[in-house]
Amino acid sequence: MKKTFKRTMGMAMAAIISVTMAGVLPAAAEEEIYSYNDYVELTQGETKENSLETLEDFLVETVEQSGNSDEGIEPHYSPVEVLYRTYPDGSHYTENRKKCSCHTWCNEYSNCNCIKFATSTQCMAFAKYCHSVFNDFEEYVYESICGNNSQVTLTTDNLYSYLKAIGGQSYVRGLTSNRTGHSVFIVGYTKDNVTIYDANYTSSNEGDYCVVHNKDLTYSQFLSRIKYFQYAMTSEGDIINADEI
């Protein structure tokens, strides 16, 4: 049975948060910022499918500036823009943007620089956070989400059918090819690639914990991250278990 959560943060509040956060963001290189046109090309081209369909509802003008620079009006960024500027590919999902200093004890060590979101840390916290920003849900929604312990093995042959069932802008939980628990946020997908946003997948860079990845992966590359699918939360808030697809 699907379990549905409803959005609770309105656009007015999201706009206030984005404007407030923009004032404290560090300067970002232009190539690190995704424009609205980039999203459209990513998700609405002839070969693109079912990813950021609702983005236009809340992705406001990327940069809104006064005609008179002397007025000193700061740029206004959408919540998604703030997310991409704060955590670009290669950054760290930590309080001080440096690698996690207490990785094994994130939930117990009071001085840990890990960020906690909805009672979670590391990959799970970041994927939930991405889902909340893209889909306009509040943090408490994620505090108790879980699957029913079912599991399915993904392959390059069946992955596309699961992606279609889950959809873009979704939170996914499963096991890596090494059977380690991992969470990812799926931005979008095609028949050949999956665009992911995740943290703390360190198989190729052990010791540099909580690194953020935002990239297009082939199906084979994605299966290193999520080989055994357990459950997902769709962009609408539905919980879908492995045995329900």
Side-chain angles (χ1 to χ4, degrees), residues 3 11 24 31 49 60 70 75 105 108 138 181 189 197 226 234-235 237:
K3 185 177 182 181
M11 277 308 305
V24 298
E31 60 269 22
E49 300 186 30
V60 295
D70 292 336
W105 305 278
E108 302 170 12
E138 293 199 29
Y189 65 91
Y197 210 178
I226 303 292
T234 70
S235 62

Side-chain angles (χ1 to χ4, degrees), residues 41-66:
E41 183 175 352
L42 170 68
T43 62
Q44 297 181 10
E46 292 183 359
T47 62
K48 308 297 180 180
E49 300 186 30
N50 190 17
S51 48
L52 304 183
E53 296 172 352
T54 62
L55 183 62
E56 191 171 1
D57 293 339
F58 65 91
L59 183 58
V60 295
E61 190 71 22
T62 301
V63 179
E64 179 182 337
Q65 293 179 311
S66 168

Side-chain angles (χ1 to χ4, degrees), residues 1 3 5 9 12 49 69 94 108 114 127 134 138 140 167 210 215 228:
M1 178 181 296
K3 185 177 182 181
F5 295 97
M9 183 191 297
E49 300 186 30
S69 60
T94 58
E108 302 170 12
C114 275
F134 271 77
E138 293 199 29
Y140 76 88
C210 292
K215 57 185 64 181
Y228 306 98

